[in-house]
Amino acid sequence: MSTLLKKKVDGWAVKALPGRCVFCLDALQGHLPWCEACFPELPWNLPACPVCAEPQPGAARGRRCGHCLRRSPGYDRAWVPLRYDAEVAGLVQRFKFDASPRAGRVLLELLKAGLSPAVQRWPDALVPVPLHPRRSRERGFDQAHWMAVRLGRQLGCPLSLAQRNRDTRTQRGLDRGERRRNLRGAFRVPAGLPRRVVLVDDVMTTGATLDALAVACRQAGAEEVQAWAVARTPAGRH
């Protein structure tokens, strides 16, 4: 199915199925796009490393993962409420590669549902993970910027925009160390960032991209940096 046709079908579904759960299509009682039965069955990222949010086995609950013990990331902590799996992976793929606004709205609501009111009030500015201009033109859609703009409006939080200094090669197929080296010095952030900054992305894989952007944000004046994403890729599936 072509991207244009998928967008048309997506738009039709929004109009034709009002008040229906996005996962099971049962009737909804409230304003959220999911039903009470589906919500707890989603692949929630629990337990997870309290620093980088990597999914953990039960025995490691609440402890730093081995990666964070060996090397602390550039951000102070990550909030990533879901695992990149099952229904969530499907939503992310439709949002990222098909530019589905409906999938984007659901993912944004899921992100907010996974953040406490105190965490939502924490940032002074949001910094979406930027695509290189060439890649943005090719894709025709910048998913992190799309999310950050709408999240900023809802939280009453301004955006600060970063830039990619170079068009890094794809991270697919690279291990954690190779990803980090590939992104070293890849971002530039204008000076004068406020004290508390949140980096926004749709999916967190190893965290190398958010790590590199966090370093650039600290160089631009941020004192505390958090990373927010909707879903985290489990270890071994990078």
Side-chain angles (χ1 to χ4, degrees):
M1 185 182 292
S2 69
T3 298
L4 179 59
L5 182 56
K6 286 180 180 178
K7 287 182 179 180
K8 289 182 178 178
V9 171
D10 196 59
W12 172 85
V14 172
K15 296 177 181 178
L17 300 172
R20 296 284 176 176
C21 173
V22 70
F23 301 112
C24 71
L25 299 183
D26 276 357
L28 295 174
Q29 301 301 317
H31 67 283
L32 293 173
W34 52 74
C35 68
E36 293 183 1
C38 288
F39 187 70
E41 298 303 316
L42 294 175
W44 295 102
N45 189 20
L46 295 170
C49 171
V51 178
C52 75
E54 181 165 271
Q56 292 180 322
R61 183 184 294 271
R63 302 175 186 173
R64 282 189 174 219
C65 70
H67 301 297
C68 290
L69 286 172
R70 288 191 292 272
R71 178 187 177 277
S72 295
Y75 48 84
D76 297 295
R77 78 160 297 162
W79 295 98
V80 190
L82 292 150
R83 285 180 284 110
Y84 184 72
D85 199 5
E87 301 93 337
V88 172
L91 280 171
V92 169
Q93 290 166 14
R94 290 177 59 205
F95 175 54
K96 184 178 239 172
F97 301 113
D98 298 331
S100 166
R102 186 175 192 229
R105 287 192 292 270
V106 174
L107 291 171
L108 193 57
E109 290 297 332
L110 286 171
L111 174 60
K112 289 168 55 186
L115 301 174
S116 71
V119 172
Q120 293 187 35
R121 292 192 298 268
W122 185 86
D124 297 321
L126 305 179
V127 180
V129 174
L131 289 174
H132 187 271
R134 183 184 67 81
R135 194 161 298 180
S136 182
R137 287 193 300 270
E138 289 175 351
R139 185 178 295 177
F141 179 64
D142 187 333
Q143 72 277 0
H145 185 268
W146 189 99
M147 290 185 65
V149 167
R150 286 152 183 81
L151 186 61
R153 288 174 186 162
Q154 294 176 25
L155 301 184
C157 187
L159 263 62
S160 294
L161 299 182
Q163 293 181 331
R164 286 210 181 221
N165 291 328
R166 53 192 172 83
D167 189 7
T168 54
R169 67 176 174 134
T170 180
Q171 296 279 76
R172 293 175 187 172
L174 303 182
D175 63 25
R176 189 180 299 265
E178 290 170 334
R179 285 171 179 253
R180 193 164 57 243
R181 289 190 291 274
N182 186 41
L183 288 160
R184 189 173 295 143
F187 298 106
R188 181 170 61 85
V189 182
L193 282 182
R195 182 183 172 209
R196 293 178 170 179
V197 166
V198 161
L199 315 180
V200 179
D201 207 355
D202 57 340
V203 176
M204 184 176 182
T205 305
T206 64
T209 300
L210 292 161
D211 184 9
L213 182 55
V215 171
C217 286
R218 290 188 187 278
Q219 293 171 346
E223 297 178 20
E224 300 176 67
V225 181
Q226 291 186 0
W228 295 0
V230 180
R232 186 67 153 87
T233 304
R237 292 179 52 188
H238 299 162

